Amino acid sequence: MAAPAQLGLQNAASPIMEELIAFHDHALMIIFLISSLVLYIISLMLTTKLTHTSTMNAQEIEMIWTILPAMILIMIALPSLRILYMTDEFNKPYLTLKAIGHQWYWSYEYSDYEDLAFDSYIMPTYFLEPGEFRLLEVDNRTTLPMEADIRVLISSQDVLHSWAVPSLGVKTDAIPGRLNQAMVASMRPGLYYGQCSEICGSNHSFMPIVLEFIYFQDFEVWASYLYI
Amino acid sequence: MAEEMKAKLKNYKTAPFDSRFPNQNQTRNCWQNYLDFHRCEKALSAKGDDVSVCQWYRRVYKSLCPISWVTDWDEQRADGTFPGKI
């Protein structure tokens, strides 16, 4: 989850998110370099008494400031496309989770063996234990096994919602009548928080997502409890 | 063939990648498997054959389709208002 007043991206829990963070750092550094260069040149322009009133042509500098930005853009595009194709890689999912958006909660279904389904409402503030996060906790967390490729199928029962978990680099729209597929994998156990990311009515800010990644053996135990 | 199907069903973990539906939109994948199961069931039971080979389609559509969609479609089939051809 985000720390108070956090500006940067959350720590990565999946390999794709690690790639996204690295790309973000790379692109941001390029932006900082260009911006500071431009600001420096502006400051030079504004603080000189020299003038040049008869510029006719400037072939050399025109070449430089065309070729150089083109190369910079290629240096941004290549890693970007690499990550884009990486997110679409064919992988064999171990498990399928369905996340269905409602006004104003998520419901989750695990139907690979038996129909296991439950709703996940926000934990109201007055029910929070000390140490829990306001507007982020839910009553039933979505439990998943770590180090496994999980296919998440996202849809909605009423209006548009969006299922987002920043630590895993996932944000996929929940559209009524459509099943959107996203792949999710966590490298470590833990709790990963997200919030609905498409305006959906009055309680749009109050339908969070909590994924609880646990070890495989514990996952089987948890799944068997849903029968009761 | 039935033995291979039984082995495949025993090792079933989740719906595998289907190259007919390689992209993000998996709606058609769910719909197609639902149709395929009911068509398979109807065709084989009409001939008096073993219906258990159709179980693969059932497992896949159960994995992919939201439970509410399946319930609605089952009701529509019972009412005779199901939009697909079975």
Side-chain angles (χ1 to χ4, degrees):
Chain A
M1 56 149 274
Q6 176 172 333
L7 293 176
L9 297 166
Q10 295 181 25
N11 290 337
S14 77
I16 297 274
M17 192 57 198
E18 281 185 351
E19 299 276 353
L20 283 169
I21 291 175
F23 173 70
H24 171 264
D25 292 344
H26 167 75
L28 193 62
M29 180 53 77
I30 293 177
I31 290 170
F32 283 160
L33 289 173
I34 295 174
S35 306
S36 40
L37 176 66
V38 169
L39 268 175
Y40 175 61
I41 292 177
I42 290 174
S43 68
L44 285 182
M45 297 285 141
L46 293 176
T47 54
T48 181
K49 296 217 166 41
L50 305 167
T51 59
H52 186 12
T53 53
S54 61
T55 309
M56 290 309 288
N57 60 29
Q59 292 296 64
E60 301 82 1
I61 194 170
E62 296 265 358
M63 284 284 269
I64 294 174
W65 69 33
T66 308
I67 303 287
L68 202 54
M71 290 190 341
I72 292 175
L73 285 175
I74 291 175
M75 270 179 36
I76 298 175
L78 290 179
S80 175
L81 288 173
R82 184 180 143 262
I83 298 177
L84 183 65
Y85 280 91
M86 202 183 284
T87 57
D88 270 349
E89 262 172 10
F90 155 57
N91 28 23
K92 297 201 195 103
Y94 169 79
L95 175 68
T96 299
L97 168 73
K98 280 167 269 174
I100 319 258
H102 307 254
Q103 282 177 313
W104 286 279
Y105 62 98
W106 293 94
S107 67
Y108 297 101
E109 299 173 10
Y110 302 68
S111 307
D112 289 322
Y113 301 100
E114 303 287 329
D115 274 344
L116 306 179
F118 58 87
D119 295 338
S120 182
Y121 280 84
I122 186 176
M123 184 69 84
T125 308
Y126 44 84
F127 283 139
L128 288 176
E129 303 284 321
E132 287 188 335
F133 304 119
R134 191 181 72 93
L135 304 186
L136 281 176
E137 299 287 355
V138 296
D139 53 2
N140 301 316
R141 295 183 188 142
T142 307
T143 309
L144 292 167
M146 58 179 262
E147 289 178 336
D149 285 327
I150 294 157
R151 172 205 270 128
V152 188
L153 293 170
I154 297 147
S155 184
S156 168
Q157 197 67 355
D158 36 38
V159 299
L160 294 183
H161 301 270
S162 186
W163 197 79
V165 183
S167 309
L168 299 169
V170 168
K171 184 180 290 179
T172 308
D173 282 356
I175 299 165
R178 180 180 167 117
L179 272 184
N180 272 337
Q181 175 177 284
M183 295 302 296
V184 146
S186 172
M187 303 174 298
R188 47 195 166 83
L191 294 174
Y192 304 114
Y193 294 85
Q195 294 174 291
C196 177
S197 300
E198 182 66 41
I199 186 82
C200 53
S202 55
N203 283 359
H204 156 68
S205 316
F206 309 114
M207 46 184 291
I209 297 144
V210 184
L211 300 184
E212 181 174 349
F213 279 90
I214 58 179
Y215 298 108
F216 253 80
Q217 313 87 293
D218 302 329
F219 177 70
E220 321 252 291
V221 171
W222 174 85
S224 64
Y225 279 145
L226 284 184
Y227 285 103
I228 301 169
Chain B
M1 199 186 84
E3 289 74 28
E4 289 165 18
M5 182 54 70
K6 280 195 175 60
K8 240 173 54 164
L9 278 168
K10 219 170 73 154
N11 294 331
Y12 183 85
K13 287 215 290 260
T14 190
F17 173 71
D18 190 337
S19 57
R20 298 174 295 170
F21 314 103
N23 298 320
Q24 192 185 41
N25 186 359
Q26 295 288 299
T27 318
R28 199 81 196 172
N29 195 351
C30 146
W31 172 254
Q32 196 60 51
N33 279 288
Y34 184 84
L35 282 185
D36 288 346
F37 171 69
H38 288 97
R39 286 178 185 164
C40 172
E41 213 186 17
K42 181 174 175 198
L44 290 186
S45 53
K47 285 203 313 193
D49 277 340
D50 177 25
V51 182
S52 65
V53 294
C54 305
Q55 283 302 310
W56 175 262
Y57 297 122
R58 182 172 178 278
R59 294 298 294 273
V60 172
Y61 90 67
K62 281 245 168 244
S63 282
L64 298 176
C65 302
I67 296 171
S68 62
W69 291 12
V70 175
T71 320
D72 287 343
W73 291 339
D74 289 343
E75 278 171 12
Q76 284 176 349
R77 280 189 305 114
D79 290 340
T81 55
F82 185 67
K85 204 167 82 141
I86 293 185

